[in-house]
C-alpha cells in the first residue's frame, strides 16, 4: 500500500519556485497566472516561440504577447477550453523534432475550440507547469457538475421556459450551500446580468451554473483533489483509497469502502454510476460527520470503567442551582436540568432552613433566591441518568437545624429510595467502588459522624462557604482579613448514614506547594475543589490547574461561559460524554513519579509531536456584541494547547482582511505534547477588526480524541451553541517523538555513550541501603537498552533480506517468462528489464555483504538475543522487587539518615522516579522480546 501511495499520489509541489511568493492553493495559481509567465509555444514544424502568457483579470481569456497577430487573435476564451493535458501527449509534441529535448514534467497542452485544436506549451520548470495546469483546470467547468446542476435546474423549471426566477435561483443555491447569505447570492446574479447588459431578473441554466461555480467552489479543496486525482477532474475508487489511507489514517481500506463513500456523497448520477467522486462530492465528504476532527470511537463509553472511583475525573458543577452570579443571582431548578443533561455527575445542594419546616436551597448569607429542597430532589430523580448511567454525586452543603434535617432525610428516602448508595467502600485496600459497580446509583458527599457515634445525632464541623464569602466581603478595602473559624454543628445520625463520601475540600495551595504528594493522595481519595467564595461574579478557575494534581471533582459554574468552561465541556466530551474520564496511568499506579508542575518530559510517557495546518475558514459570523460597522470580519485563528506546564503553548495565524466567507490561512504549527492523556487543543477564531467583542467562535477537544488528516472543526459560540455552517478546515498529523528526529533529553536521567545511545540511570536517595539496590540496576539497564536497539536493527536486516530475496525471485521470473514480450500493455515497476537487472545486481551485492544472510546465522542470532533479553528482564525485575520492599518504611529510613524537610521530600521523589524508570525499562524489554517488529521504526 505504501508503494502504491508513492506511485499514485500526485502532489503539486512548489518547493523550488524561484520567487518567495508561496503557492499553496488554486487561488494562488490564478493570481500567478494573472501576473503571467514566460512559456515556450511549440509548433508542429519544430519551431519554438517564446511568448509571455497571462490570464485576464476577469478570468475569461488567456492571452499571450508579443505576437504579430492582432490582440483578439492572440487569445483563447477560457470557456472554449475542453481539456488541459499534461506531458507530451499531443501529435505536435510527438512529431516535433525537438521533443526529446523537452522535459515531460514541463510540457502541457490546452485543447480548445469546436475543432479540438491544441496549444502546446513548455514551462521553464515543472512548478510553473503545475501552476498553469492546476489553475486552468480549476477554471474549466466540470461536465459532471454541469450535468448535475442542469438536472436540479430542470426540476425547478417546471414549465420548461429555460429560465427560473431570481428568487428560485437564490433559494436553490442556498439549499446546496446553506452557509451562503441570500444577499450575496442575489448580488452575484445581478452583477452577472449587469456585465451582460441583460434586462430582467430571470436566470438561465448557464447563469445558474456559472454563479454556483463562482460561489460554491472551494479552491483549497479543489487543490487537494488535484493532488490525489492522477490528473483527472475527479477521484476514482483507487485515488480515494490512497487518500483515505495516506491522509485520513483509515485502517483496512478497501475498494468497497471507496464505492460506499462515493455512493453516499457524490451528487451527480454519472459519478455514482462510474464510481467517480467529483469536486462537489469530495467537498460533501470532507464536510460530513465522517471527516469530523472528533474520533467517533470516543462518542461512546470506551474507557475501562471498572477501576476505583478515585481514578476518574468527574464532571462537576458548583452552585448548580444558580443561573447567574452567586451573590445576587436567581436560583432555579433549570440549573440542575441543564447540568444533568450536559453529562454532569456531581451537583451541589446548599441546604438551609426554610419556611413551613421545608428546607430550601440557596447560597447562604447572600441575596440569591430560594428553591424548595424537595422540588430539586424531584428534578434530580427525573434527570439523574438521562445523559449517563454512571453514578451521580450529590454534594450536600448541610446548614439545617436537626428538625429540618429530618425533613431532608424523609425527602431523600421517599423520592430517591434505593437509588441512594449507602454501602461503604472496600476497607481492605481503602479504594472506592468503580463507576460500573455503581451504575444507576446516587452517592451523597458531605459531613459524616464518627463510626462510634451511638446517639441519634452528633457534632461535626460546619462548612459554610456562604459565611466565608460574607466575612471576606466585610474585610474588603485593604483591611486585614479575619480568619473564619469553623463552627460546631449538630448532624442527624439518619442523614449521616446516607452519606457515602466524606466531605473534603482542598485549597489551591496544596496543588502549588505539594504537587507530588497531592497526586499520590488523590490515588485513593476523592478531592473536590470549588471556586473561591470571592468570585461573586461566578467566574471559574482553570480546571487544568487541579486535574494535573489528580483532583477528581473540580466544580465549575455552569452558568458562566468562557475559556474555563470551554475546557471543562471539551474535556468531558471524551468517553461518550458519560461524565467520567480515566486519569493518566502515571496518576493511578501505586508507585509512580509525577509532579504536576513538571516543565519537561514525563518518565515513561512518549512525547507526541502535533502538526496542525490551519487551511481555511467557512462562513465566519460577525462577533456578537461587536460595535464594528458592516458584516465583514478580519479573522485570525489561535491554536492553544492546555495541559501540564511543559505542554502549555499557543500560536496564531495571520489576519485575513475583510473575508469571513472563505478566508485562506494556510499556516502550519508544531507542538510537542509531553503528557498526551492530559492535553487539550483549543481552536479560537477572533476578529481583528472589532469594537468591543472580538470572539467569533471556538472548539476545544482532548488531544487523545483528535483524528489525523483533513478535518473540519465546527465552531461554537461563547455559550456553547454550534454556530450554523461555521467551520475551520485543518490538516492534522501526530507523530511519536521516539519514531525519529534529533536525539534529545527525554526527561529521564540520561548520559550518552560513545555510540550515541541514551542510557537511563538511577537517582541518588542518600539512603545507603536503598541506593545500593538501585546501583545494582546500572548494568542490566545498560544491557536492556543495547538489547532493544540490537533487536530493532536485527529485525530490520531480516526485513531487508526478505525483500531482496523476493526481488531476486521476481527478476528471475521476469527474465524467463514471456509476459514482457507478449503482453503489449504490460508495464512492470521498472521500465525495462535492463533497469531491473541492474537493481538486482546492486541488491545482490548488498546481500553478499549482509552479515545476517545465512538462515542458520539469522536463527542463531535471534535465539541469542531472546535468551539475553530473558536474563536482563529478570535481573531488572529483581531490582524492582527488592526496592519495593523499602517502600513502606522509606520515610523512617530517611529520618534515620538525618534527612529532613526538602532533602526528605527529594529522597522520596527520587525513589518513585527510579521505580518508574525500572517499570518502563522492564516493559520495553518484555515488549521488544515479544513483538520486536511492532516497536521498530518505519522502514
Amino acid at each position: 500500500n505504501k508503494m502504491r501511495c508513492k506511485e499514485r499520489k500526485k502532489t503539486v509541489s512548489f518547493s523550488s519556485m524561484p520567487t518567495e511568493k508561496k503557492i499553496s492553493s488554486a487561488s494562488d495559481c490564478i493570481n500567478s497566472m494573472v501576473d503571467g509567465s514566460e512559456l515556450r509555444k511549440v509548433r508542429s514544424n519544430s519551431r519554438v516561440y517564446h511568448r509571455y502568457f497571462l490570464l485576464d483579470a476577469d478570468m475569461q481569456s488567456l492571452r499571450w504577447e508579443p505576437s504579430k497577430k492582432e490582440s483578439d487573435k492572440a487569445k483563447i476564451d477560457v470557456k472554449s477550453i475542453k481539456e488541459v493535458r499534461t506531458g507530451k501527449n499531443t501529435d505536435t509534441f510527438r512529431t516535433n523534432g525537438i521533443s526529446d529535448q523537452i522535459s515531460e514534467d514541463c510540457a502541457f497542452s490546452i485543447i480548445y475550440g469546436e475543432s479540438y485544436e491544441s496549444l502546446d506549451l513548455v514551462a521553464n520548470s515543472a512548478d510553473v507547469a503545475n501552476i498553469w495546469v492546476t489553475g486552468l483546470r480549476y477554471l474549466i467547468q466540470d461536465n459532471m457538475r454541469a450535468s448535475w446542476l442542469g438536472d436540479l435546474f430542470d426540476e425547478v423549471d417546471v414549465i420548461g421556459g429555460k429560465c427560473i426566477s431570481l428568487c428560485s435561483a437564490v433559494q436553490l443555491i442556498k439549499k446546496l450551500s446553506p452557509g451562503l447569505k441570500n444577499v450575496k447570492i442575489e448580488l452575484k446574479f445581478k452583477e452577472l446580468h449587469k456585465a451582460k447588459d441583460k434586462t430582467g431578473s430571470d436566470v438561465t441554466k448557464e447563469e445558474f451554473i456559472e454563479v454556483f461555480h463562482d460561489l460554491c467552489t472551494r479552491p483549497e479543496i479543489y487543490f487537494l483533489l488535484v493532488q490525489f486525482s492522477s490528473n483527472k477532474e475527479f477521484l476514482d475508487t483507487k485515488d480515494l483509497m490512497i487518500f483515505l489511507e495516506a491522509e485520513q489514517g483509515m485502517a483496512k481500506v478497501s475498494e468497497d469502502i471507496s464505492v460506499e463513500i462515493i455512493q453516499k456523497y457524490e451528487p451527480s448520477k454519472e459519478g455514482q454510476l462510474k464510481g467517480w467522486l467529483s469536486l462537489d462530492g469530495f467537498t460533501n465528504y470532507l464536510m460530513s460527520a465522517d471527516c469530523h476532527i472528533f474520533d467517533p470511537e470516543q462518542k461512546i463509553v470506551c474507557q475501562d470503567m471498572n477501576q476505583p472511583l478515585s481514578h476518574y475525573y468527574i464532571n462537576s458543577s458548583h452552585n448548580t442551582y444558580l443561573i447567574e452570579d452567586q451573590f445576587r443571582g436567581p436560583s432555579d431548578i433549570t440549573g440542575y436540568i441543564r447540568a444533568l443533561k450536559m453529562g454532569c455527575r456531581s451537583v451541589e445542594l446548599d441546604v438551609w432552613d426554610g419556611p413551613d419546616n421545608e428546607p430550601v436551597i440557596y447560597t447562604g448569607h447572600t441575596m440569591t433566591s430560594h428553591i424548595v429542597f424537595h422540588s430539586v430532589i424531584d428534578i434530580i430523580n427525573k434527570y439523574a441518568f438521562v445523559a449517563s448511567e454512571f453514578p451521580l454525586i450529590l454534594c450536600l452543603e448541610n446548614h439545617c437545624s436537626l428538625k429540618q434535617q429530618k425533613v431532608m432525610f424523609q425527602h431523600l428516602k421517599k423520592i430517591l429510595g434505593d437509588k441512594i448508595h449507602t454501602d461503604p467502600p472496600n476497607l481492605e485496600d481503602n479504594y472506592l467502588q468503580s463507576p460500573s459497580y455503581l451504575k444507576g446509583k446516587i452517592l451523597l458527599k458531605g459531613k459524616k459522624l464518627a463510626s462510634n457515634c451511638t446517639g441519634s445525632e452528633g457534632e461535626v464541623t460546619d462548612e459554610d462557604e456562604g459565611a466565608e464569602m460574607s466575612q471576606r466581603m466585610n474585610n474588603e478595602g485593604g483591611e486585614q482579613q479575619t480568619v473564619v473559624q469553623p463552627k460546631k454543628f449538630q448532624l442527624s445520625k439518619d442523614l449521616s448514614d446516607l452519606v457515602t463520601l466524606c466531605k473534603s475540600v482542598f485549597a489551591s495551595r496544596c496543588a502549588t506547594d505539594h504537587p507530588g504528594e497531592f497526586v499520590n493522595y488523590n490515588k485513593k481519595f476523592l478531592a473536590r475543589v470549588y471556586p473561591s467564595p470571592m468570585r461573586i461574579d461566578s467566574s471559574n478557575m482553570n480546571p487544568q490547574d487541579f486535574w494535573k494534581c489528580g483532583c477528581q471533582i473540580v466544580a465549575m459554574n455552569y452558568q458562566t461561559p468562557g475559556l474555563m468552561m470551554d475546557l471543562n465541556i471539551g474535556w468531558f466530551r471524551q468517553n461518550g460524554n458519560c461524565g467520567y474520564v480515566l486519569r493518566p496511568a502515571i496518576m493511578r499506579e501505586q508507585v509512580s513519579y509525577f509532579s504536576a508542575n513538571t516543565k519537561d518530559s514525563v518518565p515513561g510517557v512518549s512525547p507526541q509531536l502535533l502538526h496542525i495546518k490551519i487551511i481555511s475558514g467557512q462562513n465566519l459570523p460577525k462577533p456578537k456584541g461587536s460595535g464594528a460597522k458592516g458584516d465583514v470580519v478580519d479573522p485570525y485563528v489561535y491554536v492553544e494547547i492546555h495541559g501540564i506546564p511543559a505542554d502549555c503553548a499557543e500560536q496564531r495565524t495571520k489576519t485575513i482582511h475583510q473575508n469571513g466567507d472563505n478566508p485562506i490561512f494556510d499556516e502550519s504549527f508544531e507542538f510537542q505534547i509531553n503528557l498526551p492523556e492530559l492535553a487539550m487543543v483549543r481552536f479560537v477564531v477572533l476578529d481583528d477588526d472589532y469594537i468591543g467583542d472580538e470572539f467569533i467562535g471556538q472548539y476545544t477537544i482532548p488531544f487523545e480524541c483528535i483524528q489525523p488528516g483533513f478535518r473540519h472543526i465546527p465552531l461554537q459560540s461563547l455559550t456553547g451553541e454550534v454556530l450554523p455552517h461555521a467551520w475551520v478546515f485543518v490538516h492534522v498529523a501526530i507523530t511519536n517523538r521516539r519514531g525519529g528526529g534529533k536525539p534529545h533529553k527525554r526527561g529521564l536521567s540520561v548520559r550518552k555513550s560513545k555510540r550515541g545511545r541514551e542510557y537511563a540511570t538511577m537517582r541518588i536517595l542518600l539512603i545507603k541501603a536503598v541506593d545500593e539496590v538501585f546501583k545494582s540496576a546500572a548494568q542490566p539497564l545498560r544491557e536492556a537498552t543495547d538489547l532493544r536497539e540490537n533487536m530493532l536493527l536485527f529485525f530490520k536486516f531480516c526485513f531487508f533480506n526478505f525483500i531482496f530475496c523476493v526481488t531476486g525471485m521476481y527478476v528471475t521470473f521476469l527474465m524467463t517468462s514471456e509476459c514482457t514480450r507478449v503482453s503489449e500493455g504490460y508495464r512492470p515497476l521498472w521500465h525495462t528489464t535492463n533497469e531491473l537487472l541492474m537493481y538486482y545486481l546492486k541488491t545482490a551485492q548488498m546481500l553478499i555483504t549482509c552479515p545476517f544472510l545465512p538462515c542458520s546465522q539469522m536463527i542463531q542470532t535471534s535465539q541469542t538475543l531472546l535468551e539475553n533479553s530473558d536474563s536482563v528482564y529478570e535481573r531488572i525485575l529483581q531490582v524492582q522487587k527488592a526496592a519495593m520492599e523499602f517502600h513502606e518504611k522509606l520515610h523512617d529510613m530517611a529520618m534515620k539518615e538525618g534527612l529532613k524537610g526538602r532533602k526528605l521530600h527529594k529522597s522520596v521523589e527520587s525513589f518513585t522516579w527510579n521505580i518508574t524508570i525500572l517499570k518502563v525499562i522492564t516493559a520495553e524489554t518484555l515488549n521488544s522480546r515479544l513483538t520486536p517488529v511492532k516497536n521498530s521504526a518505519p522502514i
Side-chain angles (χ1 to χ4, degrees):
N1 285 336
K2 288 181 180 178
M3 286 291 291
R4 187 177 64 191
C5 289
K6 290 178 181 178
E7 291 173 42
R8 293 292 307 279
K9 181 179 177 183
K10 304 292 183 181
T11 59
V12 183
S13 171
F14 304 102
S15 58
S16 61
M17 290 295 293
T19 175
E20 292 183 359
K21 185 177 180 181
K22 189 176 181 182
I23 304 294
S24 58
S25 67
S27 59
D28 288 341
C29 293
I30 300 298
N31 292 334
S32 180
M33 291 161 63
V34 170
D35 291 339
S37 304
E38 184 178 287
L39 304 173
R40 286 173 286 167
K41 181 181 173 185
V42 179
R43 301 293 295 271
S44 57
N45 57 5
S46 299
R47 300 189 67 176
V48 178
Y49 302 89
H50 290 262
R51 297 286 183 262
Y52 195 80
F53 285 77
L54 69 160
L55 180 70
D56 279 351
D58 61 4
M59 297 183 289
Q60 301 298 313
S61 302
L62 174 65
R63 299 180 181 275
W64 57 91
E65 54 186 31
S67 172
K68 294 179 181 179
K69 295 181 180 180
E70 297 177 14
S71 59
D72 61 332
K73 292 184 179 180
K75 72 171 187 176
I76 294 175
D77 288 337
V78 171
K79 290 182 180 178
S80 70
I81 298 176
K82 307 295 183 183
E83 179 189 353
V84 181
R85 195 176 296 172
T86 57
K88 299 178 289 186
N89 289 313
T90 62
D91 290 338
T92 300
F93 275 123
R94 283 190 285 266
T95 59
N96 193 292
I98 61 169
S99 181
D100 291 343
Q101 303 172 26
I102 297 172
S103 169
E104 185 82 17
D105 293 335
C106 296
F108 65 100
S109 301
I110 301 172
I111 313 301
Y112 67 98
E114 296 301 322
S115 302
Y116 287 82
E117 300 175 62
S118 70
L119 176 62
D120 302 290
L121 303 171
V122 180
N124 293 329
S125 70
D127 289 330
V128 174
N130 273 331
I131 288 176
W132 282 88
V133 170
T134 301
L136 288 171
R137 284 180 169 171
Y138 173 69
L139 294 173
I140 297 173
Q141 190 166 279
D142 186 350
N143 289 331
M144 280 198 294
R145 169 182 275 185
S147 175
W148 162 58
L149 292 174
D151 291 341
L152 293 177
F153 184 92
D154 291 340
E155 290 176 10
V156 177
D157 182 19
V158 291
I159 61 174
K162 296 187 178 180
C163 62
I164 59 177
S165 68
L166 176 61
C167 180
S168 298
V170 170
Q171 291 304 315
L172 185 53
I173 288 184
K174 177 77 173 178
K175 181 180 178 181
L176 298 173
S177 186
L180 288 173
K181 297 180 177 68
N182 286 16
V183 175
K184 184 175 182 178
I185 304 171
E186 186 174 333
L187 181 62
K188 196 70 177 179
F189 278 116
K190 289 180 178 179
E191 288 176 350
L192 181 62
H193 288 167
K194 185 177 180 180
K196 294 182 177 181
D197 294 326
K198 179 180 176 179
T199 58
S201 61
D202 286 350
V203 176
T204 66
K205 182 184 295 186
E206 289 73 21
E207 290 168 344
F208 169 73
I209 294 174
E210 184 174 344
V211 169
F212 179 89
H213 182 84
D214 289 344
L215 292 179
C216 303
T217 301
R218 286 179 52 184
E220 72 276 23
I221 293 183
Y222 177 82
F223 194 67
L224 182 60
L225 182 140
V226 168
Q227 295 181 55
F228 286 88
S229 65
S230 303
N231 297 322
K232 304 185 296 296
E233 292 299 304
F234 55 83
L235 297 173
D236 60 27
T237 54
K238 290 184 172 57
D239 296 329
L240 185 55
M241 285 174 64
I242 293 171
F243 175 77
L244 295 174
E245 187 176 51
E247 291 295 346
Q248 303 301 87
M250 187 180 291
K252 300 179 181 179
V253 178
S254 67
E255 202 155 355
D256 289 340
I257 291 175
S258 290
V259 171
E260 185 179 328
I261 290 173
I262 291 169
Q263 293 300 317
K264 185 176 180 180
Y265 296 108
E266 173 53 43
S268 72
K269 294 178 181 177
E270 180 184 1
Q272 292 176 10
L273 289 172
K274 294 181 177 179
W276 294 347
L277 193 66
S278 68
L279 175 59
D280 298 296
F282 192 38
T283 303
N284 290 340
Y285 170 65
L286 287 175
M287 296 192 71
S288 71
D290 289 343
C291 287
H292 195 291
I293 194 171
F294 193 88
D295 186 351
E297 291 184 3
Q298 288 281 352
K299 291 182 179 180
I300 60 173
V301 176
C302 55
Q303 296 178 356
D304 179 8
M305 304 303 290
N306 294 303
Q307 298 202 30
L309 208 63
S310 57
H311 285 186
Y312 298 85
Y313 296 114
I314 303 171
N315 196 354
S316 175
S317 74
H318 177 241
N319 288 347
T320 316
Y321 44 89
L322 293 180
I323 56 176
E324 289 183 16
D325 69 71
Q326 66 182 31
F327 186 67
R328 295 182 179 87
S331 302
D332 198 285
I333 58 173
T334 57
Y336 289 95
I337 297 173
R338 174 190 59 199
L340 293 172
K341 282 186 173 181
M342 291 174 67
C344 183
R345 294 289 84 197
S346 174
V347 297
E348 185 178 17
L349 297 91
D350 205 348
V351 194
W352 300 77
D353 280 351
D356 303 324
N357 200 34
E358 280 291 343
V360 293
I361 291 178
Y362 75 105
T363 303
H365 308 285
T366 67
M367 291 178 280
T368 57
S369 57
H370 300 178
I371 322 174
V372 179
F373 175 77
H374 73 77
S375 64
V376 173
I377 301 303
D378 280 329
I379 286 296
I380 289 174
N381 185 51
K382 182 177 179 180
Y383 290 94
F385 303 104
V386 168
S388 173
E389 61 182 345
F390 294 105
L392 173 65
I393 299 172
L394 304 185
C395 295
L396 201 61
E397 303 280 353
N398 176 19
H399 310 284
C400 290
S401 62
L402 285 172
K403 183 178 178 181
Q404 293 208 17
Q405 284 183 40
K406 292 178 181 178
V407 178
M408 286 174 58
F409 172 77
Q410 290 167 3
H411 287 322
L412 288 168
K413 289 296 292 182
K414 181 180 178 181
I415 298 171
L416 300 180
D418 293 339
K419 291 180 182 177
I420 299 177
H421 179 75
T422 56
D423 295 337
N426 188 341
L427 297 178
E428 291 183 4
D429 55 13
N430 205 25
Y431 276 112
L432 301 166
Q433 293 98 332
S434 71
S436 283
Y437 179 84
L438 296 169
K439 277 183 183 178
K441 291 294 184 180
I442 294 176
L443 284 67
L444 262 63
K445 182 177 176 70
K447 287 296 181 180
K448 193 173 179 68
L449 294 173
S451 57
N452 58 0
C453 179
T454 56
S456 60
E457 61 196 57
E459 195 174 65
V460 294
T461 302
D462 184 19
E463 68 287 335
D464 191 343
E465 181 184 341
E468 183 183 353
M469 180 176 67
S470 178
Q471 180 70 53
R472 290 191 181 185
M473 290 185 66
N474 292 332
N475 289 326
E476 283 184 348
E479 298 178 16
Q480 185 177 0
Q481 292 189 4
T482 304
V483 178
V484 179
Q485 297 296 331
K487 299 183 299 182
K488 296 299 182 179
F489 178 76
Q490 293 297 312
L491 178 64
S492 163
K493 181 72 161 54
D494 289 338
L495 199 56
S496 172
D497 289 343
L498 294 181
V499 173
T500 306
L501 305 173
C502 292
K503 182 69 182 175
S504 55
V505 180
F506 293 87
S508 60
R509 187 173 178 180
C510 294
T512 305
D513 297 345
H514 308 287
E517 291 88 338
F518 204 14
V519 171
N520 287 330
Y521 177 89
N522 290 330
K523 290 175 182 178
K524 287 191 174 184
F525 303 102
L526 282 180
R528 179 176 182 264
V529 183
Y530 56 77
S532 165
M534 289 305 295
R535 295 175 181 265
I536 60 174
D537 59 349
S538 290
S539 58
N540 279 307
M541 56 198 172
N542 188 341
Q544 282 276 6
D545 290 342
F546 300 96
W547 288 338
K548 69 184 182 183
C549 298
C551 294
Q552 301 87 347
I553 305 176
V554 182
M556 305 293 290
N557 287 305
Y558 270 55
Q559 72 274 22
T560 307
L563 166 61
M564 305 315 174
M565 199 59 203
D566 291 342
L567 294 176
N568 192 77
I569 293 173
W571 181 249
F572 287 103
R573 279 197 183 101
Q574 60 186 310
N575 200 29
N577 197 35
C578 73
Y580 285 83
V581 172
L582 194 62
R583 296 189 306 167
I586 200 164
M587 292 187 180
R588 306 191 312 264
E589 295 171 352
Q590 185 179 3
V591 180
S592 60
Y593 174 80
F594 177 71
S595 172
N597 296 327
T598 181
K599 295 182 180 180
D600 203 346
S601 298
V602 180
V605 179
S606 294
Q608 306 287 309
L609 284 181
L610 173 64
H611 312 262
I612 295 179
K613 182 176 185 179
I614 306 295
I615 302 173
S616 65
Q618 278 72 50
N619 311 312
L620 304 178
K622 181 181 175 183
K624 288 186 177 181
S626 171
K629 296 180 179 179
D631 292 327
V632 179
V633 296
D634 294 345
Y636 62 98
V637 181
Y638 259 108
V639 182
E640 304 171 350
I641 308 298
H642 297 266
I644 61 174
D647 293 339
C648 292
E650 63 180 21
Q651 296 271 12
R652 65 156 286 179
T653 68
K654 61 182 178 292
T655 298
I656 305 299
H657 295 286
Q658 298 190 348
N659 186 354
D661 296 326
N662 186 25
I664 304 295
F665 299 101
D666 191 45
E667 289 195 58
S668 298
F669 308 115
E670 182 178 287
F671 303 92
Q672 178 163 318
I673 313 295
N674 295 283
L675 186 57
E677 289 179 275
L678 201 56
M680 279 191 288
V681 183
R682 185 171 184 255
F683 301 89
V684 192
V685 184
L686 302 169
D687 182 11
D688 228 354
D689 179 25
Y690 71 94
I691 300 174
D693 187 11
E694 63 174 345
F695 178 86
I696 294 177
Q698 68 84 33
Y699 185 79
T700 307
I701 180 172
F703 176 81
E704 300 279 80
C705 297
I706 294 177
Q707 288 204 101
F710 290 92
R711 305 290 172 183
H712 276 89
I713 299 171
L715 293 178
Q716 296 179 336
S717 70
L718 187 66
T719 51
E721 292 87 8
V722 174
L723 294 172
H725 318 298
W727 305 85
V728 173
F729 186 41
V730 302
H731 180 265
V732 178
I734 300 172
T735 55
N736 190 311
R737 195 65 182 87
R738 287 183 186 271
K742 297 179 181 179
H744 74 302
K745 192 171 182 179
R746 294 179 35 77
L748 301 178
S749 299
V750 294
R751 57 186 175 83
K752 290 189 176 182
S753 70
K754 294 180 180 179
R755 293 175 295 167
R757 288 182 178 173
E758 295 179 347
Y759 296 100
T761 58
M762 299 284 96
R763 285 184 175 181
I764 303 299
L765 278 69
L766 298 178
I767 302 175
K768 187 175 181 181
V770 184
D771 285 335
E772 286 298 321
V773 172
F774 284 129
K775 185 178 179 181
S776 65
Q779 187 58 32
L781 284 177
R782 186 183 185 89
E783 292 176 18
T785 301
D786 288 339
L787 274 171
R788 183 180 185 277
E789 296 300 322
N790 292 341
M791 188 74 78
L792 296 182
L793 289 173
F794 168 70
F795 276 91
K796 284 181 182 179
F797 276 125
C798 293
F799 178 82
F800 278 119
N801 286 339
F802 174 75
I803 294 297
F804 293 152
C805 292
V806 171
T807 302
M809 291 186 289
Y810 182 50
V811 172
T812 305
F813 167 74
L814 288 177
M815 295 181 67
T816 57
S817 69
E818 297 293 320
C819 66
T820 53
R821 295 190 289 270
V822 175
S823 303
E824 185 178 348
Y826 182 83
R827 187 180 180 89
L829 184 62
W830 289 267
H831 293 180
T832 66
T833 305
N834 286 338
E835 291 177 25
L836 186 56
L837 182 59
M838 289 301 296
Y839 178 82
Y840 174 63
L841 290 174
K842 289 179 182 178
T843 57
Q845 186 177 3
M846 293 176 68
L847 283 170
I848 294 170
T849 59
C850 177
F852 295 108
L853 175 60
C855 290
S856 59
Q857 210 170 332
M858 289 170 65
I859 294 171
Q860 183 180 353
T861 303
S862 175
Q863 188 174 355
T864 302
L865 287 172
L866 292 176
E867 288 174 354
N868 289 344
S869 67
D870 280 343
S871 171
V872 172
Y873 172 78
E874 288 298 330
R875 286 157 64 196
I876 298 176
L877 195 61
Q878 287 302 318
V879 174
Q880 183 181 327
K881 289 179 179 178
M884 283 301 294
E885 292 180 2
F886 296 111
H887 180 234
E888 297 296 333
K889 49 188 177 182
L890 187 65
H891 188 274
D892 293 338
M893 293 176 69
M895 295 291 285
K896 287 181 180 180
E897 294 285 348
L899 302 179
K900 298 179 181 178
R902 186 177 181 84
K903 289 184 177 180
L904 174 61
H905 172 72
K906 188 69 176 176
S907 182
V908 174
E909 179 183 292
S910 297
F911 178 84
T912 53
W913 177 287
N914 290 349
I915 292 294
T916 301
I917 290 178
L918 291 174
K919 285 182 180 179
V920 172
I921 299 297
T922 51
E924 286 187 349
T925 306
L926 183 61
N927 201 27
S928 297
R929 181 188 184 281
L930 299 176
T931 55
V933 177
K934 187 175 180 181
N935 287 320
S936 64
I939 296 175

